[in-house]
Amino acid sequence: MEQQKQGLVVAKLIPQKNPIEQLQVRFKRTEEGFKAWLSKQSLVVEAAVVTATSSLQGAAIGGIMGTITNDVSSTFTPPPQANLNPQAMASLQQAQALSGGPLVQARNFAVMTGVNAGIACVMKRLRGKEDVQSSMAAAFGSGAMFSLVSGLGGPNQVTNAVTSGLFFALVQGGLYQFGQKFSQPPVEDTRYLRTRSMLTGLGLQNYEKNFKKGLLTDNTLPLLTDSALRDVKIPPGPRLLILDHIQRDPELKGAKKK
């Protein structure tokens, strides 16, 4: 009995693993394994698999969106004399294409995501990289196919497909450039590497911005004085720690004598 009680106590002390985290880890491993397998396949197989899986994902998203909108396309009724007015019929087709029910939206999203992913996959394999040109080419194909399948636009399907493709490509190109600009990590300033290391070791990393404002680079460390640190608005306590570190560092102290 006593051993059982001890076992229960130990079991309670052992932290229980989060089932959601375990599921995420398993999913991540499965995804990595699938990508590794897919990268070893031929271009045709990889493009077909990527297109199919992306189409299924797009169809699911489109079906959900179509369910939420509750098939508002049924509210669009042809206006009087619409058969005699091509512009009115084109407007009606656009409204129906953009606001269909679950099946319509599932089809539209499946085409957009599938074609986009397939072209992007082929471009990456052929060019060996992902860049704005590949992204825009995939978006052009996606927009063109969406126009053809959904009936978006007027009676001239070829012109509408090209126009939609160009619109999708321009939007995708702008979004890609915008994302690249803000997703790139900031370039590390090599002039403050030793300064950053020193401040981090002293627990004073918050004062790195003061050094940068005063242009107190690594080359100025052996020359630092109390007045120089005061000029960049560093409090007395941190000033003392910094100066003491410089005095104790044989390399910095030797550089000062030179």
Side-chain angles (χ1 to χ4, degrees):
M1 289 293 293
E2 186 175 348
Q3 291 181 350
Q4 291 180 351
K5 290 181 179 179
Q6 291 178 351
L8 291 174
V9 172
V10 172
K12 290 180 179 179
L13 292 176
I14 297 176
Q16 298 295 322
K17 294 183 178 180
N18 190 334
I20 297 179
E21 292 181 355
Q22 290 180 324
L23 185 62
Q24 290 176 340
V25 171
R26 291 178 182 176
F27 177 79
K28 188 69 176 178
R29 290 176 181 174
T30 304
E31 184 182 20
E32 291 175 353
F34 176 74
K35 288 182 178 179
W37 171 83
L38 193 60
S39 63
K40 299 176 182 179
Q41 307 305 310
S42 65
L43 174 59
V44 176
V45 173
E46 183 181 7
V49 173
V50 169
T51 301
T53 54
S54 298
S55 296
L56 290 175
Q57 294 175 357
I61 295 173
I64 294 173
M65 291 189 63
T67 302
I68 294 174
T69 57
N70 197 24
D71 198 6
V72 295
S73 62
S74 59
T75 60
F76 294 101
T77 56
Q81 302 299 325
N83 293 331
L84 303 178
N85 190 343
Q87 292 182 348
M89 289 300 298
S91 299
L92 177 62
Q93 289 177 352
Q94 289 179 0
Q96 291 175 335
L98 296 175
S99 59
L103 294 178
V104 174
Q105 293 296 348
R107 178 201 63 189
N108 293 344
F109 274 79
V111 169
M112 284 192 295
T113 56
V115 173
N116 190 295
I119 295 177
C121 174
V122 173
M123 296 292 289
K124 183 180 179 180
R125 269 288 190 99
L126 295 178
R127 304 181 71 227
K129 60 180 180 180
E130 291 180 284
D131 55 12
V132 65
Q133 287 85 359
S134 298
S135 180
M136 291 181 68
F140 178 86
S142 175
M145 285 302 299
F146 170 75
S147 177
L148 292 174
V149 172
S150 65
L152 183 66
N156 194 335
Q157 294 186 351
V158 176
T159 302
N160 294 328
V162 173
T163 303
S164 299
L166 289 175
F167 175 75
F168 274 54
L170 291 175
V171 172
Q172 180 64 25
L175 292 175
Y176 185 93
Q177 296 284 33
F178 183 82
Q180 286 291 103
K181 182 178 180 180
F182 288 95
S183 64
Q184 293 178 350
V187 179
E188 187 176 23
D189 196 337
T190 57
R191 298 176 300 168
Y192 297 93
L193 293 178
R194 186 157 192 174
T195 301
R196 184 178 301 110
S197 177
M198 177 190 70
L199 293 175
T200 302
L202 296 172
L204 304 174
Q205 57 270 21
N206 291 336
Y207 293 104
E208 182 181 343
K209 60 181 180 296
N210 300 69
F211 275 76
K212 290 183 176 180
K213 286 181 179 179
L215 298 179
L216 300 177
T217 63
D218 292 347
N219 294 332
T220 66
L221 286 180
L223 308 174
L224 282 181
T225 61
D226 185 75
S227 60
L229 295 174
R230 189 188 306 117
D231 289 341
V232 294
K233 298 181 180 180
I234 295 179
R239 292 204 305 265
L240 291 173
L241 292 174
I242 293 170
L243 294 174
D244 178 69
H245 175 83
I246 293 173
Q247 288 296 322
R248 292 174 181 273
D249 191 315
E251 189 174 343
L252 291 175
K253 194 173 181 181
K256 184 176 182 180
K257 290 180 180 180
K258 293 179 182 179

